[in-house]
Structures are given as C-alpha cells and as structure tokens.
Amino acid sequence: PQPDASKQDAAVAADIEWLQAVILGIRNIRGEMDISPAKPIPVLLRNGSAEDQRRLDENRRFLMTLAKLESIQWLEPGDEIPPAATQLAAGMEVLVPMAGLIDKDAEIARLSKEVDKATKEIGRLEGKLGNESFVAKAPPAVVEKERAKLADMTSARDKLQEQLEKIKAL
C-alpha cells in the first residue's frame, strides 16, 4: 500500500523530525557520558530559531517523557552557560549540564574527538571545493550545497571548540 500524499502534513512531519533529532541528541549524550537512561536529567536548548521554540512549547510533554528529563529550559543569547555536554540537533545546541553527572576528562576526550572529526570533514569539503575540476563540472546547486555543508561544519566545529575550552578551564 502507498500513503495518500494529499493527507500528509509536511509541517507535522517536520515537527516529528525535530523531536526525533532532539531526543537522539539527548540519548547520545547519555550514552557517551554513561548516564543511566532511567535517571531524569536537566536539559538546556540554545541557538535555535523561533520555530524551534514553538516546537519546544508544543512538544515539551513528549520530550519530558520520551527523553526522561527532569527539566528543559531555553537559553536566551547572553545567558550564562554552565559546563555541559553538547550535541547539535536540528541546527541548535542541546546541552546537559555536567554538575554531578559527567566525568570532566571523558567529556574533554569526547569533545576533542568531535572537533577532530569536524576538522577532517572540513578538510575533505575544502579539498573538494578547491578542486577546480569538481567546481567546473558539478551542477551549481551541488557546489552550493557543498559550500553550505562547509559553512555548517565550520560553525559546528567552532562551537565544539568553544565548549572544549570551557570544560578545560574548569
């Protein structure tokens, strides 16, 4: 059977994908930091759009239950950010404060690994975009998509590097 495309709501599907990305980010932090899935944890969200805030407001109950959260809070620009484990989800940062939850050395190792991974990907993308043959032969949409990936990856690496420096300073 095939779904009836006329009955599918793209906005609802996008909201569900956002919810899945946030929950996956929280679960990844739990797994990497060896935090029990049964332990309720506080979560902070940062650098999201107005659309992300709307989705949080509409789906707070689902997030609290599915991700087993103690609390979820939106950080405004300029708010003090406590030392936290970070994941990027749906273009925003998902932070789990480390106070009493996370081993500092393990978090430094994890963030260093993420920074290295992002740096390698940036190198790969820069090499691809620096290849004049690729830029000349590829459709403009593909080249633009690769440039957007490079910009996103550079931004992500800078955020991870900033978080790494904060944790090292503890």
Side-chain angles (χ1 to χ4, degrees):
Q2 295 295 318
D4 183 354
S6 68
K7 293 182 181 179
Q8 291 181 352
D9 187 341
V12 171
D15 286 356
I16 295 297
E17 287 178 17
W18 178 89
L19 192 62
Q20 288 174 328
V22 173
I23 291 170
L24 182 63
I26 293 167
R27 288 181 177 173
N28 285 342
I29 291 171
R30 281 182 183 276
E32 291 167 1
M33 298 296 108
D34 198 27
I35 300 169
S36 168
K39 180 176 178 56
I41 58 172
V43 169
L44 307 170
L45 300 179
R46 178 178 153 206
N47 292 339
S49 64
E51 183 70 8
D52 292 328
Q53 286 183 329
R54 177 195 65 79
R55 288 174 173 154
L56 172 61
D57 292 340
E58 292 178 3
N59 296 294
R60 180 178 298 270
R61 186 180 54 154
F62 296 120
L63 275 173
M64 296 292 287
T65 303
L66 294 171
K68 190 75 171 176
L69 303 181
E70 174 184 301
S71 65
I72 188 163
Q73 180 183 350
W74 192 269
L75 292 177
E76 297 299 327
D79 284 355
E80 182 64 28
I81 301 165
T86 305
Q87 283 280 321
L88 298 176
M92 67 180 173
E93 291 179 70
V94 176
L95 301 113
V96 174
M98 294 190 326
L101 292 176
I102 298 171
D103 176 14
K104 178 182 171 183
D105 293 334
E107 181 63 5
I108 288 172
R110 183 190 76 80
L111 284 172
S112 295
K113 183 178 170 185
E114 289 288 324
V115 168
D116 290 346
K117 183 177 164 185
T119 302
K120 286 179 185 172
E121 181 65 12
I122 288 169
R124 185 189 71 77
L125 290 168
E126 286 174 341
K128 196 176 203 180
L129 291 169
N131 181 346
E132 295 196 20
S133 173
F134 169 75
V135 174
K137 292 180 183 178
V142 171
V143 173
E144 191 54 40
K145 184 177 179 182
E146 292 299 309
R147 286 189 177 127
K149 278 186 197 175
L150 177 61
D152 290 346
M153 191 57 63
T154 302
S155 173
R157 183 196 57 194
D158 292 346
K159 288 177 184 175
L160 290 168
Q161 188 67 44
E162 179 183 312
Q163 190 69 26
L164 180 61
E165 295 305 318
K166 285 181 182 178
I167 292 171
K168 283 182 178 178
L170 290 177

